[in-house]
Amino acid sequence: MLTWQEVIRSAENTLARAGIEDARSNGEYLAMHVLGIWKKPELRERLRQQITIDQAKALDAAISRRLNHEPLQYIIGETEFFGLRLYCSPAALIPRAETEIVVEEAIKEALEVQQTKKQIRILDIGTGSGAIILAMASKLPGAECIGIDISTDALQLAEKNKQRLNCSNVQFHCADFMKTEFDRWDAFDIIISNPPYSPSQEMDQVAKEVREFEPMQALTDMGDGFSFYRKLASVAPTILNPNGSIIVETEYKGAEKVKSIFSESGLQVDHVAKDLLGHDRAVVAHQYQN
C-alpha cells in the first residue's frame, strides 16, 4: 500500500492538472478530512503511515468532488473564520477571510458604544452560517446578538454553529429583510451585514465553484447589487439607535455607490476599510443624533 505522503503527492498532481488552485493545500486538507484531523502538524505525523483501502476509497471520492469544482469547504464540511471552527454546507455562503474585516470594524464600533452603554444590541442581516454574529458574540459576551436570514436551512446551520461554540448570547430568527416590518422591533446599536451584492448581469463571470455550488439568493439580489443597501438605508432611522453604527461588506467596485446611498439617506459615512488585498471591503456609517 502507498503512504499518505505518496497519495497526497498524487492528489496534488491530479488537482493541479485540472486547474485547481492551491492543489497541494487542497490535497492535504482532503487527506486530513479522511483521517479525521484538523491540524497540519497532525498530518505530518501520519505521512509515513500506509493508507488503508477504505481510506483510499474515501479520498478518491473527495478528490472526485473537488475535480468537479465543488468547494473544498463543502466537501470537508468545516472552515475557519476569525479563529472559530465553523460547520459549513451549501445552505450558506462559505465564510471568507475578507469578511473578517467587517467583524473587526464592528468590534471597534461596539467597544466604543460599550464605553457609555452597559448592554448593546447587535443585528446581523443575512446571517447565513452565523459566522459574523458568532464572531461578534465570542468577543462581546455581554452583547445581545441577533442574526436573521430568509433561509431556514441556513438558520439550521447557524444554530449548529452556535451550539458548537456555546454562544448563549446569540439568537437566530427567520425573516425576509426586504419585507420585514421593523417598526415592531427594538432598535439596535450595531447593524452588520454581508448582503447579496453581485449584480445579476455579472453572475456568469463568477467562478464556477461559487456560481454552481453556493446559494444564489446569498450571492445576488437579481438586480444591480444594491437593493439591500437601499433597504437598509431606508429603515435605518427605525432600527438603529441614535449614534448607532452600520457596517456592511461591499464588492470593492461598489463601495462608492454604497457610500452615496447611505449619505443620501442621512447616514454619515465614516470610512471604508480595505481588505488584505487593498480592496475597499467594509463601509462604516453612523446615524448621529441631532
Side-chain angles (χ1 to χ4, degrees):
M1 292 294 293
L2 297 173
T3 65
W4 276 102
Q5 187 170 29
E6 291 169 323
V7 296
I8 290 172
R9 187 179 300 117
S10 176
E12 176 189 0
N13 293 334
T14 300
L15 293 168
R17 286 195 298 270
I20 302 297
E21 294 184 4
D22 299 321
R24 175 69 180 185
S25 181
N26 272 247
E28 290 175 340
Y29 275 111
L30 291 175
M32 290 162 62
H33 172 58
V34 172
L35 284 164
I37 58 179
W38 181 252
K39 302 289 186 181
K40 287 283 184 76
E42 296 178 78
L43 178 62
R44 288 195 289 270
E45 294 174 0
R46 310 282 189 101
L47 290 178
R48 296 185 182 279
Q49 293 181 4
Q50 290 188 337
I51 186 171
T52 68
I53 293 176
D54 288 343
Q55 288 171 334
K57 289 179 179 178
L59 183 60
D60 284 344
I63 292 171
S64 295
R65 292 171 66 182
R66 190 68 187 100
L67 290 172
N68 193 40
H69 293 277
E70 183 175 352
L72 177 68
Q73 296 89 336
Y74 288 164
I75 298 170
I76 294 173
E78 295 181 315
T79 193
E80 188 170 314
F81 179 81
F82 211 74
L84 304 176
R85 189 174 168 186
L86 301 173
Y87 292 116
C88 197
S89 85
L93 290 182
I94 298 167
R96 290 170 167 80
E98 54 264 32
T99 303
E100 294 183 359
I101 303 300
V102 175
V103 178
E104 291 172 1
E105 293 297 322
I107 289 174
K108 291 177 188 176
E109 296 295 319
L111 292 176
E112 286 285 330
V113 176
Q114 282 186 330
Q115 292 182 14
T116 58
K117 194 171 184 178
K118 187 173 183 180
Q119 185 177 48
I120 62 174
R121 302 186 78 233
I122 304 172
L123 174 66
D124 177 21
I125 299 169
T127 196
S129 65
I132 293 177
I133 197 66
L134 290 169
M136 294 288 293
S138 69
K139 297 296 183 181
L140 303 162
E144 180 185 356
C145 300
I146 295 174
I148 64 171
D149 204 288
I150 193 174
S151 169
T152 55
D153 289 339
L155 290 172
Q156 288 178 3
L157 178 62
E159 284 286 353
K160 189 177 177 183
N161 280 321
K162 171 186 171 179
Q163 297 303 318
R164 180 180 217 178
L165 300 172
N166 195 28
C167 284
S168 59
N169 58 326
V170 180
Q171 292 184 348
F172 294 110
H173 301 284
C174 187
D176 182 346
F177 173 66
M178 300 299 285
K179 298 178 181 179
T180 297
E181 297 293 334
F182 283 101
D183 56 352
R184 301 173 186 174
W185 289 48
D186 291 333
F188 296 88
D189 301 292
I190 308 285
I191 296 175
I192 46 180
S193 183
N194 178 17
Y197 53 68
S198 295
S200 59
Q201 69 269 22
E202 295 182 9
M203 285 305 296
D204 60 345
Q205 302 171 28
V206 174
K208 181 178 180 180
E209 276 122 341
V210 177
R211 186 178 66 250
E212 295 190 3
F213 290 93
E214 299 197 57
M216 188 64 64
Q217 67 180 2
L219 292 169
T220 177
D221 61 358
M222 300 307 294
D224 64 358
F226 296 101
S227 300
F228 279 75
Y229 303 109
R230 294 189 187 97
K231 172 69 173 182
L232 181 53
S234 70
V235 300
T238 301
I239 63 175
L240 194 62
N241 279 326
N243 302 320
S245 305
I246 294 177
I247 304 95
V248 293
E249 180 169 332
T250 71
E251 183 192 25
Y252 72 95
K253 294 182 295 183
E256 288 301 317
K257 177 66 173 179
V258 174
K259 286 171 60 178
S260 177
I261 291 170
F262 282 180
S263 295
E264 289 172 4
S265 74
L267 293 168
Q268 181 171 320
V269 176
D270 185 72
H271 66 278
V272 178
K274 296 182 181 297
D275 60 25
L276 294 176
L277 295 177
H279 295 149
D280 289 343
R281 185 58 60 184
V283 176
V284 181
H286 299 90
Q287 179 168 265
Y288 287 118
Q289 193 170 24
N290 295 327

